[in-house]
Each structure stands twice: as C-alpha cells, then as structure tokens.
C-alpha cells in the first residue's frame, strides 16, 4: 500500500541525491598499503550511532591509489550493500571504504545526509533492503537496486528539524547506555572489593580460593545445594512475555523467550551450562522453564547460605573461566559442586545482597528508560518520515545536524 506524504514533500529516487561510489580492500600482503594516515573501514564499524568518526584501520596514500577503495569526503553517506546490508552512517572524517560499502556524496544544497540516513534506517527502506538481498554465501544488494529506492523529502529546513529531533532522542539513548555501563562497571568493581577487602576493612587470610576474611569459613557448593540440568526447551516460545506465554525460559545466557509452560515454581539459582557464556548466573523468583542448556538448584541443602548471596559470589568468581575448552564450551554439575565458597554469617550475607540489590535496581531503572526512549525513537522515526507528525513550524535547534 502506497504511503501518503504531505503535498509539499517530494518523492525521488536514491539516485537523485548525489554520486555513488564503490569500495575495495588494499592487498593485506602489502605492508606499504597499511598503517598510514587515511581512515579506512568495512561495514563492521557501522553501528547504532548516526556518525562514524574513526576508521576500522588506516591505509597509506599508496594503498589508496593502488587499490579499488574510494575516499569518501566527510559529511556524506556510507551504506552497507554487500555485508551489513542496510546499515547507514554519516562520516565525520574523510574515509576510504571497503567493498562492503557504497559511498554516496550527497548534494547538500538540497538534501541533508543525516535526514537521509535516518530515513534509510526506517522500517520502509529496511524492508526494501531485505527484499532486494541476493546471493548464496554473501547476501547483498546491487548499487543499481539501491539507486531505485524511493525517498520522501520535505524542504531542506524541515529535513534539518526532523534530523535534529531524532538526533536528540538518540543522544538521550546513548546517555542511558553510558550510565548503564558505568553502573555495571561499578558493580564489577564493588564485587571485587567486597570479596577481596570486605565491607569494613576486615583482616583477610590467603586460602586456596584466594583471600577471605579471617573468621569466614568456606564450603563446597555441593554441600550447599544440588544442581541439575534443565529440560528440553518447549516447542513454542514467544520472544515477548504475553498472557498466553507468561513464563520465562532460561537458556545458557539467561532468558531466551517465554512459554505457556513452566518446569520449576520455586526460587532457583540458574547457571549457564553450555555455550560461549556458560557459567552466567541468574536467579528466577517466579515459575520458569529451565532448558537443558542450563543448570539449576534442584535441592537446597544448607539453609544458612542465602541463595542471593551465593549468586553474588558466583558472579564475582566467574564460572566461565572453569569451562571445558572444547568445540562446545561447557561447565558440569560436578565442576561447580567441587568449588569452594566463603560463607560469612547470615547478617553479613544480607548486607552484601542489599548492596547489589541497590545497584541492580539502578541498572534496571536506566534500562527501562533506555527501552522507553528506543520505543519513542522508532515511533517518531516512522511518523516524522511520512509527515504524519510535522515539525516545520517548531523552533528547534538544528546546530548538531546542520551541514
């Protein structure tokens, strides 16, 4: 179904916005082609950010001249057309491109690269990329196909305002991401401090499992609980929690989806059993399904050890370092059962749990804010790019996206 756009907007093809250039890779066996002063990139370096300001590698003048790569002047578009199809950014520096990418040098008297980049990221054009992909081992699209994609373009001043609105939302998302990462780093450093220095400067002693408080005994995990493998995952799993599929399904690295069925009802400790992230630690306090890619606490033997405390310690210990390094990394019940853990008194366990509960709450708060902003971005992207929401008469600072 054809979308309606405002009467003062134009419908043009991608081909009309500027000149198109392919890329290439200088020979990797020629040292004189690499580590020069010219930024060079593949599609791998294109991420969620609107801009790219550094290359994946650098090449020399000779590498530029004696290969099929092309130097795209700053302030233009880099689009994934061979690998990373549909990715798009604006380059803030002159940058040479690989064969993964198409460079578009935009006619900036009529068109704003940031606006076109955002529209290209929208649902309509991303669907065009998906439909046009061809190939067996590498599924790309041709440059000619890209040139035929349709763009909906308001006058340049409105392009600037639309891009500015979206950029401000995207910056807010990036701020939340930075806060979340800082909180996670704080959590990691706090974990290390608590288990190597204590809460109140206690004296520590060296043991076979590392430094622990002098008056703190340690026990084997197998004396605290009994682990068991989960069951084969349910046939039907939903990617989102719904009224029909309300129960989380845990795999090797946490929740993998939601099901109408559950295999456990009690609060359980869950450990990733297989895969690159085996040893990942999670706690489920609701009916859940534990898949056979995970281990869980089937029986709790020692009531003096709190489940949440053991979860905190195992995150600090990093069970992943115990994994069997085979074609399929894994940890087993027996490996974890033999692990020795320091066990302070219950009051101290509760204090440690409280510290990390506060940090987890803050991480969850900022994760929820990020998710809400991402939803807002998607909604605004689609509505602004069809003229359903107009900003042409609003007083908006466009300095961040102004050419």
């Amino acid at each position: 179904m054809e979308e309606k756009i405002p009467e003062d907007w134009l419908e043009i093809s991608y081909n009309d916005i500027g000149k198109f250039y392919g890329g290439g890779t200088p020979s990797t066996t020629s040292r004189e082609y690499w580590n020069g002063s010219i930024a060079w990139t593949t599609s791998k370096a294109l991420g969620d950010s609107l801009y790219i300001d550094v290359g994946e590698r650098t090449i020399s003048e000779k590498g530029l001249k004696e290969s099929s790569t092309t130097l795209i002047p700053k302030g233009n578009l880099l689009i994934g057309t061979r690998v990373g199809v549909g990715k798009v950014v604006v380059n803030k520096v002159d940058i040479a491109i690989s064969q993964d990418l198409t460079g578009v040098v935009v006619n900036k008297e009529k068109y704003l690269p940031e606006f076109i980049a955002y529209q290209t990221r929208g649902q309509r054009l991303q669907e065009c990329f998906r439909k046009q992909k061809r190939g067996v081992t590498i599924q790309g699209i041709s440059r000619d196909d890209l040139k035929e994609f349709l763009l909906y373009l308001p006058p340049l001043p409105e392009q600037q305002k639309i891009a500015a609105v979206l950029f401000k939302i995207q910056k807010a998302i990036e701020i939340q991401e930075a806060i979340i990462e800082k909180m996670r780093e704080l959590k990691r450093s706090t974990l290390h401090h608590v288990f190597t220095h204590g809460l109140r400067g206690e004296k520590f002693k060296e043991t076979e499992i590392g430094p622990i408080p002098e008056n703190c005994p340690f026990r084997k995990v197998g004396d605290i609980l009994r682990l068991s493998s989960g069951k084969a995952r349910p046939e039907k799993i939903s990617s989102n929690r719904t009224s029909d599929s309300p129960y989380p399904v845990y795999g090797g690295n946490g929740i993998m989806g939601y099901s109408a069925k559950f295999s456990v009802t009690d609060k359980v400790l869950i450990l990733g059993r297989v895969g690159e992230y085996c040893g990942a630690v999670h706690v489920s306090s609701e009916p859940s399904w534990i898949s056979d890619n995970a281990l869980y606490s089937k029986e709790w033997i020692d009531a003096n050890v709190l489940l949440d405390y053991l979860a905190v310690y195992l995150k600090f210990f990093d069970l992943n370092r115990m994994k069997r390094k085979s074609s399929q990394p894994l940890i087993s019940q027996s490996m974890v059962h033999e692990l020795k853990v320091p066990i302070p008194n219950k009051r101290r366990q509760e204090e440690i749990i409280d510290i990390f509960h506060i940090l987890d709450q803050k991480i969850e708060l900022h994760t929820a804010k990020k998710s809400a902003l991402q939803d807002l971005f998607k909604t605004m992207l689609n509505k602004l790019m069809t003229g359903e929401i107009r900003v042409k008469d609003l007083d908006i600072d466009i300095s961040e996206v102004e050419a």
Side-chain angles (χ1 to χ4, degrees), residues 52 118 154 178 183 243 271 283 306 315 350 395:
I52 183 171
Y118 278 133
M183 294 304 302
S243 57
L271 309 176
V283 174
L306 301 177
K315 287 178 183 179
E350 288 168 349
D395 183 15

Side-chain angles (χ1 to χ4, degrees), residues 1-4 11 152:
M1 186 174 68
E2 191 172 330
E3 290 182 285
K4 291 182 179 180
E11 182 181 285
Y152 302 153

